[in-house]
């Protein structure tokens, strides 16, 4: 079974520039998550989709971050304009459902450095 | 807001020694999950505990969920170099009914000296 695919794996941008990350979840998984992991910390949930609807985006900095999941499959996370503190690994994850008992599978992550 | 704390932050052991990491939540949890992240890698799900006082074993790993469902521990017996990585506990965010809306601890970094 193919895992969660993410691209690009690495990105370096200057502050105030924009960046977009793409995620393709495991086939058939209805729930998709974007987590932000700053070096030395645990992952923090940014947004959760159930199919193509947003379940939770309470921790998404909406003035600069946006995410969409068109057609309930692939998802894109965008940052515009980027700040230095956005340097982190952006982890996409998916699960077959949103309830207990559904294992969450993480992708390899997209490493962002803002200079 | 909900906080999940882990101790210790770092642990260095000799191969063959035991290792334990502890997780404490500021709120009662419906379940707790443990993940392992290898250096440069992504978190990998290890286990979920649901019941008060539950104990689960995976080979050399023993997981416990506290009676009050606010704390948990992971114990590794006779560590091996393959155990190297960061171990995270995670629990559903306060008010979150969704399995995926997790609050992660800051992790315990385990290094094993051969």
């Amino acid at each position: 079974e193919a895992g969660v695919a993410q691209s690009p794996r690495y990105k370096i941008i200057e502050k105030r520039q924009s960046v977009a990350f793409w995620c393709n979840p495991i086939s058939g998984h209805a729930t998709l998550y974007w987590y932000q992991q700053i070096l030395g910390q645990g992952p923090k949930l940014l947004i959760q989709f159930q199919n193509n609807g947003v379940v939770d985006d309470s921790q998404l900095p909406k003035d600069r971050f946006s995410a969409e999941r068109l057609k309930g499959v692939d998802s894109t996370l965008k940052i515009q304009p980027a700040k230095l503190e956005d340097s982190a690994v952006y982890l996409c994850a998916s699960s077959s459902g949103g309830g207990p008992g559904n294992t969450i599978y993480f992708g390899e992550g997209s490493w962002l450095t803002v200079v | 807001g909900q906080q999940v704390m882990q101790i210790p932050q770092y642990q260095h052991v000799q191969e063959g020694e035991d290792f334990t990491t502890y997780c404490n939540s500021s709120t009662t949890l419906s379940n707790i999950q443990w993940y392992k992240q290898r250096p440069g890698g992504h978190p990998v799900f290890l286990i979920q505990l649901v019941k008060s006082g539950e104990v689960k074993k995976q080979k050399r790993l023993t997981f416990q969920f506290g009676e009050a469902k606010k704390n948990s521990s992971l114990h590794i017996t006779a560590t091996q170099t393959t155990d190297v990585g960061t171990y995270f506990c995670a629990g559903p965010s306060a008010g979150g009914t969704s399995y995926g809306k997790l609050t992660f601890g800051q992790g315990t970094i385990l290094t094993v000296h051969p």
Side-chain angles (χ1 to χ4, degrees), chain A residues 46-112:
Chain A
L46 293 177
I47 190 167
Q48 177 183 345
F49 293 94
Q50 184 74 19
N51 296 309
N52 61 350
V54 176
V55 174
D56 188 288
D57 63 357
S58 57
Q59 299 188 102
L60 186 74
K62 298 180 185 64
D63 57 333
R64 298 183 301 105
F65 286 64
S66 64
E68 60 182 11
R69 191 184 185 195
L70 300 176
K71 302 180 181 179
V73 181
D74 294 6
S75 178
T76 302
L77 176 70
K78 296 180 181 178
I79 307 174
Q80 181 180 14
K83 292 185 175 181
L84 296 177
E85 59 260 35
D86 298 332
S87 294
V89 180
Y90 291 86
L91 295 161
C92 181
S94 70
S95 66
S96 58
N102 289 288
T103 299
I104 297 173
Y105 298 88
F106 284 86
E108 296 285 347
S110 292
W111 296 62
L112 173 66

Side-chain angles (χ1 to χ4, degrees), chain B residues 26-46:
Chain B
S26 58
T27 60
T28 302
L29 301 170
S30 60
N31 67 77
I32 194 155
Q33 298 151 46
W34 285 91
Y35 292 78
K36 177 183 179 181
Q37 187 171 26
R38 294 183 186 276
H42 60 281
V44 175
F45 176 84
L46 293 176

Side-chain angles (χ1 to χ4, degrees), chain B residues 61-81:
Chain B
L61 277 61
T62 302
F63 304 85
Q64 283 190 299
F65 200 9
E67 294 290 339
K69 300 183 77 173
K70 294 182 71 174
N71 61 287
S72 181
S73 65
L74 159 59
H75 179 82
I76 302 178
T77 303
T79 54
Q80 300 175 359
T81 54

Side-chain angles (χ1 to χ4, degrees), chain B residues 4-13 17-25 32-37 46-47 49 56 60-66 70-77 79 83-90 104-111:
Chain B
V4 177
M5 304 298 293
Q6 279 185 257
I7 56 170
Q9 190 173 359
Y10 304 95
Q11 185 76 59
H12 178 80
V13 299
E17 291 182 338
D18 292 355
F19 159 76
T20 304
T21 175
Y22 300 91
C23 176
N24 290 284
S25 170
I32 194 155
Q33 298 151 46
W34 285 91
Y35 292 78
K36 177 183 179 181
Q37 187 171 26
L46 293 176
I47 206 162
L49 304 171
K56 286 189 176 180
R60 295 177 296 103
L61 277 61
T62 302
F63 304 85
Q64 283 190 299
F65 200 9
K70 294 182 71 174
N71 61 287
S72 181
S73 65
L74 159 59
H75 179 82
I76 302 178
T77 303
T79 54
D83 296 324
V84 165
T86 302
Y87 292 85
F88 292 99
C89 63
F104 280 77
Q106 74 270 37
T108 295
I109 300 172
L110 173 64
T111 57

